[in-house]
Amino acid sequence: MQPLYLNHRSLALSTCALALVLMALALSLPPIAIFTARPADYLSVHILLEMFAISVSLMIVTIAWNTPDHDAEPIAQTLVFGFASVAGLDMLHTLYFAGMPGLVVDGSTNTAIFFWLSSRAVEVAVLCLAALSLRLPGSRNAWLIAGIVLVAALFLIATQRPQWLPLSYIPGSGLTPLKNTCELILCVANLGLALWFFLRSRKTQSSRDLWLGAACFITAMGGLAFTQYRTTSEFINLFGHIYKVAAYCFFYLAAFQIAVRKPYRLLEVREQRIREQETELHNLLSNLPVGIARLDEHLHLRYANPTLIRSQDRRPESVIGQTIGDLLLDDVAEQIRPHLIKALDGIRSDLDLQYLRPDGNSAYASCLVVPERQVSGREAGVLAIFTDTSEREHNRRQLIDSLREIAEIKAALDAHAIVAITDARGVITQVNDKFCAISQYARSELVGRTHKMINSGHHPREFFQDLWRTISHGEVWSGEVCNRAKDGSLYWVQSTIMPFIGKDGLPEQYIAIRADITKRKRIEEAAQRMALHDALTGLANRRLMSERLIRALHNSQRHNQHGALLLMDLDHFKEINDTLGHPIGDQLLKEVAVRLQGTLRQSDTVARLGGDEFVVIIEELGNSQESAMHHASDTGEKIRQVLSAPYQLHDHMAQITPSIGVVLFDGTLQNADELIKRADMALYKAKDAGRDQLCFFDNALQSEINQRALLQRDLRLALEQDELRLFYQSVVDADEQILGFEALLRWQNPQRGLVSTAQFIPLAEESGLIIPIGQWVLATACRQLAEWQHDPMRQVWTIAVNISARQLSQADFVQQVLQVLASSGAPANRLRLEITESMLQHDLTVTIGKMQALRQVGVRFSLDDFGTGYSSMSYLKHMPLDQLKIDKSFVDEILTDNTDSAIAHTVVTLAQNLGLEVVAEGVEQREQLELLIAIGCRAFQGYLFGKPEPITRT
Ligand code: C2E
Ligand code: CA
Ligand code: CA
């Protein structure tokens, strides 16, 4: 609660209490006559008291009349009407007071009371309207006139028709009950109003309601005094009038509150609000990012906001009255001045400023210059609004610069570079024309696919793994890449791939910029080829050969593999050059190169050292020196034969032979030069020995090779000259009854005698002679079987024929066997074919197919030398086998070696489980037989039962 209100409330309430107490006191006194000596004095006192009340009433009318219109008191009209009437009626009351001269008629107490009660009634009515805050319709003038009319009407009634007035006073007897009743009603009404105003004051906190409440209360108290007197000159009557004066003091306060205090308060509030708005405006102008200047008609500053002052680095004490040049930088002032002058003529302008800041940086601003008009419409000055556009302008200029740069880069790229953009997964999203041109793919074929499309296969997988690792980590990758165009041709690009990192820190796009370096690569390749290859034949030159040889020596050591170096020279090549000319000689050399490359494996190196000297490096010849030697000699022999075939050189036919020097290497010798020297020595040996031949560097090897060559020649002849024989070794059961025979080959040579199988069978295998020989064996054995068919005792015997790997791998092997069976008339179910485990290593399914085809006609299969090879149990299960032959090596030691007997036992059990027969080979002793019988073996072969022997016809 406001302290002022609290003060007023205690004043009002204490006044009311005092009024109550005093009135109670006064009423309890007996009637006191006053002014008895000079009764006319009372009239004057009455006039004074009433005059006070009347002036207050008139003041209230004046105040209500002048209340400002805009926030007009709702009760202004009521007050004007009410208090104008009250003033008039109270004036008439005074005029007609007993003892007064009166007007038109003489004054009388009854007439005075009529005006009094009328006045009080109007007063109560006005206060009721005020209490309800009811606004009367119509203007104040009308209500003033209404008040005057009311007073005039009552005046006329009182003067012209006095008999109409109610009887309120009877001289001598005093007040009538009517008068008292009226006074009491007024008193009650005033008390009610007082209560109403007090209650309202608690809500509104308004002093006015307090004053009104107090006025009503005092009026009510005063009214009680006017019910008691018998003559008007009694003290109680005077006391009642004093109450009226007191009540009017409060009415005055209330009216003052309404008309003066309140408007002033409003004015104060409004001023306060204006001050606040001004501060706000000032803050706003200070903080606005725009500079504002107001200038008068002489272009002197009226105002400049702090933003503008700050922006100009001038910091003047006060800008008011200064010229624009005092505030703005010279540069800016210069640019803006003409526009300010134009603005004085009513022309607004909008201009862009560019100037140098004191710190030397260039700055930009836009400025709006508008004329400020007075209310009269005349130009009163200029308003200039500055916006700092430096940042925007700098950004714009930067953007323009970078756009230009991008455009330049793009133009450069489009002109020279092959560009592709892919997404994070490498799927192409954009390509430029150059990309399409070089790859020969249309853009539509490329977009949505990956670069795999143009992968040439030139680079190993790791190459691209490294590339992806780099770019997916957000780094730039660059390198040379070989790609394949749509037509299959290769092209090279220098490639730079840049990742574009997204918001999550991972690459979201890749841009690949490539330059075509195919031409350069071709030149490089050509240069490299020239450096490492022989220009005439395109073969490796001496340098490349040396490199390859060093590498071959290294590999040979690492993988424990033999290799061979063959150095060759064309015999009498000089003669061809001399007789047919160099071009023909060159052509011959080229043809030699072609034939060499055609003869050798891709992995072998063929080089031309110069002239008619060629080198061949053969690697991976296995870890046995013997087989390496055989292979090298066979290859050399093949080369010799191929090169010795006639040459068609233009119109000439020519023939030439090579001499070949061979040296083997196995990693023990690491010096390439030494090796070449040795090959050279071997070559000289070959030349010395009459040319057209192959010589090994190693003498021992050489003689072995020579012997082998002779043996091979003789073996070839053996077939033609019928030197081969077939011996048969019996296979018996536990009772030593013959079950059949194994056919074993023998070579009976007139010079060499009986050649051991260990000597000639491997040679036959290596040279391929085993094929015709094998066929001969099969045919001979089948003839034997057919022969036995006529003998009831022998027709159940079987013959087992050993089949070599090379035979079995022949595509038409099955046909060969079927044909032999058919032509000989041998029963297929008496023929057994023995194969070894080593044959089952290649093309197992094909081998099984062949075996199954033959089994269908009754041919049976034995697995020879079981236990010595790669016995994998899994294939045993799948092979269409009928028999296992326990190798002689296990049988040899079966009596002495526990392991061997265990193996033999296991093999027998295994065979039984797989439903296979078992034959024990190489049984020489009876104890061996007995042991084998004991472990479950049922068929036997060995010297104990008979050596391989020719069949004697009976
Ligand atoms: P193989 O198939 O294991 O033949 C058994 C070899 O053991 C035969 O040697 C035979 O004479 C010998 N032998 C048999 N019982 C005894 C014995 O109690 N004690 C001793 N010490 N040896 C015994 P052979 O005839 O010298 O044949 C050697 C190998 O030559 C054969 O081994 C076979 O792999 C191969 N062979 C023989 N004839 C042919 C044939 O016509 N074609 C093919 N491809 N290879 C054949
Ligand atoms: Ca055999
Ligand atoms: Ca065997």
Side-chain angles (χ1 to χ4, degrees):
M1 272 187 209
Q2 295 172 3
L4 187 69
Y5 168 77
L6 289 176
N7 285 345
H8 287 175
R9 192 174 65 171
S10 52
L11 174 68
L13 292 179
S14 53
T15 311
C16 290
L18 183 70
L20 180 70
V21 171
L22 288 180
M23 184 53 71
L25 252 168
L27 287 179
S28 65
L29 291 176
I32 306 164
I34 48 167
F35 302 108
T36 41
R38 280 177 53 87
D41 284 358
Y42 176 64
L43 280 179
S44 304
V45 171
H46 180 254
I47 289 167
L48 278 176
L49 295 174
E50 283 299 336
M51 283 317 287
F52 177 79
I54 291 163
S55 352
V56 169
S57 295
L58 289 175
M59 244 178 328
I60 291 171
V61 172
T62 320
I63 286 168
W65 182 269
N66 287 310
T67 308
D69 231 359
H70 41 85
D71 52 2
E73 264 294 325
I75 56 166
Q77 276 89 324
T78 316
L79 293 178
V80 168
F81 166 73
F83 281 91
S85 311
V86 167
L89 293 172
D90 279 348
M91 202 111 73
L92 290 175
H93 161 72
T94 313
L95 217 59
Y96 286 95
F97 203 74
M100 285 295 281
L103 187 69
V104 186
V105 291
D106 285 346
S108 79
T109 303
N110 202 44
T111 314
I113 286 174
F114 169 72
F115 287 122
W116 168 264
L117 287 176
S118 306
S119 176
R120 297 288 76 75
V122 171
E123 193 182 276
V124 166
V126 165
L127 287 169
C128 282
L129 287 175
L132 296 172
S133 297
L134 278 178
R135 184 194 188 99
L136 291 177
S139 69
R140 293 172 199 182
N141 287 354
W143 285 104
L144 181 66
I145 291 165
I148 293 167
V149 168
L150 175 70
V151 172
L154 293 176
F155 169 73
L156 284 177
I157 288 169
T159 52
Q160 302 308 313
R161 299 284 187 271
Q163 66 276 14
W164 287 7
L165 302 184
L167 193 63
S168 54
Y169 183 79
I170 302 163
S173 66
L175 297 169
T176 63
L178 176 77
K179 149 78 172 160
N180 282 346
T181 309
C182 288
E183 284 291 1
L184 280 172
I185 290 169
L186 286 169
C187 175
V188 169
N190 274 314
L191 281 175
L193 281 167
L195 188 68
W196 172 271
F197 283 124
F198 280 132
L199 289 177
R200 196 168 77 173
S201 81
R202 287 166 63 116
K203 219 166 45 209
T204 58
Q205 302 277 299
S206 146
S207 301
R208 189 184 72 172
D209 285 336
L210 283 177
W211 302 150
L212 284 173
C216 290
F217 187 83
I218 294 166
T219 306
M221 291 300 107
L224 291 177
F226 298 117
T227 58
Q228 296 297 315
Y229 60 93
R230 201 162 296 169
T231 61
T232 49
S233 60
E234 277 174 28
F235 164 76
I236 195 76
N237 188 301
L238 178 70
F239 195 61
H241 276 92
I242 290 170
Y243 266 62
K244 189 185 172 189
V245 168
Y248 269 72
C249 284
F250 282 107
F251 277 132
Y252 175 74
L253 278 179
F256 186 76
Q257 201 79 38
I258 295 166
V260 185
R261 276 277 165 74
K262 200 174 149 192
Y264 269 114
R265 180 69 45 75
L266 280 176
L267 215 61
E268 265 173 29
V269 168
R270 217 166 286 163
E271 262 179 18
Q272 177 70 23
R273 199 172 302 153
I274 289 169
R275 268 199 299 278
E276 281 169 12
Q277 281 174 354
E278 269 179 1
T279 339
E280 264 171 39
L281 191 68
H282 179 76
N283 286 343
L284 187 73
L285 289 175
S286 307
N287 295 318
L288 262 187
V290 295
I292 296 170
R294 286 183 70 204
L295 299 123
D296 64 14
E297 67 265 45
H298 308 295
L299 294 182
H300 287 153
L301 280 163
R302 271 187 189 143
Y303 172 78
N305 76 339
T307 312
L308 180 61
I309 296 169
R310 272 199 306 271
S311 76
Q312 298 295 308
D313 293 302
R314 286 280 168 107
R315 306 189 194 288
E317 287 281 293
S318 159
V319 291
I320 312 301
Q322 308 245 28
T323 66
I324 195 93
D326 295 328
L327 173 67
L328 301 180
L329 294 170
D330 298 341
D331 206 1
V332 181
E334 222 41 61
Q335 292 178 58
I336 198 174
R337 208 185 305 277
H339 298 275
L340 295 174
I341 294 164
K342 269 203 284 181
L344 286 178
D345 291 335
I347 301 163
R348 62 180 277 160
S349 40
D350 202 341
L351 60 147
D352 286 325
L353 301 169
Q354 185 181 356
Y355 58 96
L356 277 181
R357 285 232 177 84
D359 62 12
N361 287 327
S362 59
Y364 302 88
S366 74
C367 182
L368 182 67
V369 182
V370 282
E372 258 195 308
R373 283 163 209 264
Q374 279 183 337
V375 190
S376 61
R378 206 169 63 80
E379 263 67 57
V382 183
L383 181 68
I385 300 167
F386 297 84
T387 312
D388 186 354
T389 55
S390 296
E391 201 180 318
R392 199 176 67 197
E393 192 65 25
H394 280 307
N395 289 345
R396 197 176 67 87
R397 275 160 201 261
Q398 249 171 25
L399 190 70
I400 290 171
D401 285 351
S402 34
L403 282 176
R404 190 180 303 129
E405 233 168 81
I406 289 171
E408 280 168 11
I409 292 172
K410 192 174 178 301
L413 284 181
D414 278 344
H416 304 292
I418 302 151
V419 185
I421 299 175
T422 76
D423 65 13
R425 293 168 303 146
V427 175
I428 297 170
T429 54
Q430 284 179 53
V431 289
N432 72 346
D433 294 343
K434 278 248 160 194
F435 193 113
C436 297
I438 196 165
S439 69
Q440 298 167 11
Y441 285 103
R443 184 168 280 114
S444 56
E445 291 177 288
L446 292 161
V447 171
R449 308 278 302 271
T450 68
H451 279 86
K452 278 207 185 101
M453 238 182 133
I454 52 165
N455 189 348
S456 63
H458 177 90
H459 304 281
R461 183 195 287 266
E462 297 79 53
F463 178 83
F464 293 106
Q465 282 172 345
D466 170 69
L467 182 158
W468 271 104
R469 197 171 17 239
T470 308
I471 60 174
S472 63
H473 281 74
E475 286 161 32
V476 174
W477 181 91
S478 65
E480 295 178 351
V481 185
C482 178
N483 289 330
R484 190 179 297 279
K486 194 175 184 180
D487 70 354
S489 63
L490 297 177
Y491 64 92
W492 278 86
V493 287
Q494 165 67 47
S495 196
T496 300
I497 305 177
M498 291 170 288
F500 278 97
I501 309 297
K503 279 188 222 86
D504 53 1
L506 296 172
E508 61 183 21
Q509 272 192 357
Y510 298 106
I511 175 163
I513 299 172
R514 305 176 168 93
D516 184 1
I517 54 164
T518 311
K519 221 182 247 172
R520 194 195 85 200
K521 274 281 172 186
R522 295 264 152 81
I523 292 167
E524 273 176 18
E525 271 170 14
Q528 201 172 21
R529 220 192 334 269
M530 256 156 69
L532 297 175
H533 290 82
D534 170 43
L536 180 66
T537 61
L539 296 177
N541 64 8
R542 184 184 289 271
R543 203 173 124 201
L544 183 56
M545 188 276 299
S546 300
E547 277 176 23
R548 297 261 175 92
L549 184 57
I550 289 165
R551 203 181 61 193
L553 289 174
H554 183 72
N555 286 343
S556 145
Q557 187 183 39
R558 212 173 46 187
H559 305 299
N560 190 25
Q561 286 272 325
H562 282 80
L565 178 71
L566 282 71
L567 182 62
M568 68 196 76
D569 181 293
L570 303 179
D571 302 329
H572 308 298
F573 176 69
K574 199 173 165 303
E575 280 171 23
I576 291 195
N577 258 350
D578 291 349
T579 55
L580 301 175
H582 281 270
I584 298 291
D586 284 353
Q587 213 189 329
L588 177 79
L589 290 173
K590 279 196 214 170
E591 182 60 26
V592 166
V594 170
R595 291 188 189 183
L596 279 175
Q597 280 175 312
T599 311
L600 296 158
R601 292 176 302 182
Q602 196 84 44
S603 57
D604 299 332
T605 297
V606 185
R608 175 172 174 241
L609 301 188
D612 59 347
E613 251 189 349
F614 293 87
V615 163
V616 170
I617 303 170
I618 312 169
E619 292 184 71
E620 294 180 13
L621 294 180
N623 49 22
S624 119
Q625 195 198 38
E626 203 185 343
S627 79
M629 179 182 73
H630 295 163
H631 198 104
S633 118
D634 289 351
T635 308
E637 196 54 41
K638 206 152 87 188
I639 289 172
R640 203 182 59 76
Q641 280 171 21
V642 165
L643 295 191
S644 301
Y647 294 83
Q648 174 74 50
L649 307 167
H650 286 290
D651 305 336
H652 307 280
M653 284 296 283
Q655 192 142 19
I656 200 155
T657 54
S659 296
I660 305 175
V662 184
V663 57
L664 291 181
F665 55 87
D666 60 359
T668 49
L669 180 75
Q670 281 295 305
N671 191 331
D673 290 340
E674 178 61 27
L675 209 65
I676 293 168
K677 218 187 310 168
R678 289 182 184 182
D680 210 29
M681 286 160 75
L683 177 61
Y684 267 96
K685 241 169 36 178
K687 294 243 181 216
D688 255 11
R691 299 196 162 88
D692 188 18
Q693 54 191 288
L694 178 135
C695 270
F696 271 78
F697 166 75
D698 192 296
N699 282 326
L701 289 186
Q702 187 60 50
S703 67
E704 217 185 302
I705 287 291
N706 291 348
Q707 276 178 26
R708 192 167 159 268
L710 287 176
L711 190 68
Q712 196 168 323
R713 192 194 63 196
D714 290 352
L715 183 60
R716 194 168 280 127
L717 293 172
L719 203 57
E720 293 170 21
Q721 294 171 0
D722 197 23
E723 291 169 10
L724 297 180
R725 300 282 175 274
L726 212 49
F727 281 30
Y728 295 87
Q729 186 180 28
S730 61
V731 179
V732 300
D733 64 11
D735 301 328
E736 297 185 33
Q737 293 299 307
I738 292 176
L739 297 170
F741 294 85
E742 177 177 2
L744 293 158
L745 186 61
R746 296 292 178 264
W747 176 16
Q748 188 68 55
N749 182 267
Q751 286 83 42
R752 297 174 193 269
L754 196 64
V755 184
S756 125
T757 43
Q759 239 189 319
F760 78 92
I761 288 192
L763 185 66
E765 299 244 14
E766 280 167 27
S767 63
L769 275 173
I770 195 74
I771 306 282
I773 292 174
Q775 262 171 343
W776 177 86
V777 172
L778 191 64
T780 311
C782 282
R783 269 203 306 278
Q784 188 61 63
L785 274 177
E787 215 172 281
W788 284 338
Q789 286 313 295
H790 311 296
D791 184 336
M793 196 189 73
R794 296 175 180 176
Q795 64 184 3
V796 293
W797 291 349
T798 57
I799 295 183
V801 171
N802 292 285
I803 299 295
S804 100
R806 284 184 86 152
Q807 275 180 281
L808 189 60
S809 65
Q810 285 207 295
D812 60 348
F813 176 69
V814 175
Q815 271 79 12
Q816 285 177 27
V817 177
L818 292 177
Q819 206 181 335
V820 169
L821 282 170
S823 63
S824 64
N829 59 353
R830 299 284 177 258
L831 180 64
R832 270 173 205 267
L833 299 181
E834 294 196 2
I835 58 173
T836 58
E837 288 165 275
S838 60
M839 292 181 196
L840 306 176
Q841 287 176 59
H842 303 292
D843 279 339
L844 191 60
T845 43
V846 178
T847 308
I848 289 175
K850 288 176 181 171
M851 290 169 73
Q852 275 167 342
L854 289 172
R855 274 184 105 220
Q856 260 172 7
V857 298
V859 178
R860 313 273 216 92
F861 283 89
S862 291
L863 192 59
D864 206 355
D865 306 342
F866 186 71
T868 59
Y870 309 81
S871 308
S872 159
M873 295 302 150
S874 69
Y875 71 66
L876 263 189
K877 211 167 75 184
H878 301 297
M879 295 297 297
L881 287 172
D882 304 281
Q883 197 177 60
L884 293 184
K885 295 186 84 171
I886 301 178
D887 191 61
K888 181 176 170 294
S889 58
F890 298 110
V891 178
D892 281 346
E893 304 287 320
I894 201 165
L895 296 173
T896 50
D897 191 326
N898 285 338
T899 321
D900 283 357
S901 64
I903 290 173
H905 196 165
T906 312
V907 172
V908 172
T909 315
L910 179 77
Q912 282 169 351
N913 285 340
L914 292 170
L916 301 176
E917 297 165 14
V918 183
V919 180
E921 282 186 300
V923 183
E924 293 179 345
Q925 300 163 32
R926 194 145 293 279
E927 290 81 3
Q928 291 174 330
L929 174 66
E930 280 160 11
L931 185 69
L932 285 163
I933 291 172
I935 62 176
C937 192
R938 293 290 170 262
F940 313 92
Q941 192 182 341
Y943 290 174
L944 182 63
F945 319 104
K947 293 198 172 182
E949 280 168 3
I951 295 281
T952 45
R953 287 163 202 248
T954 49

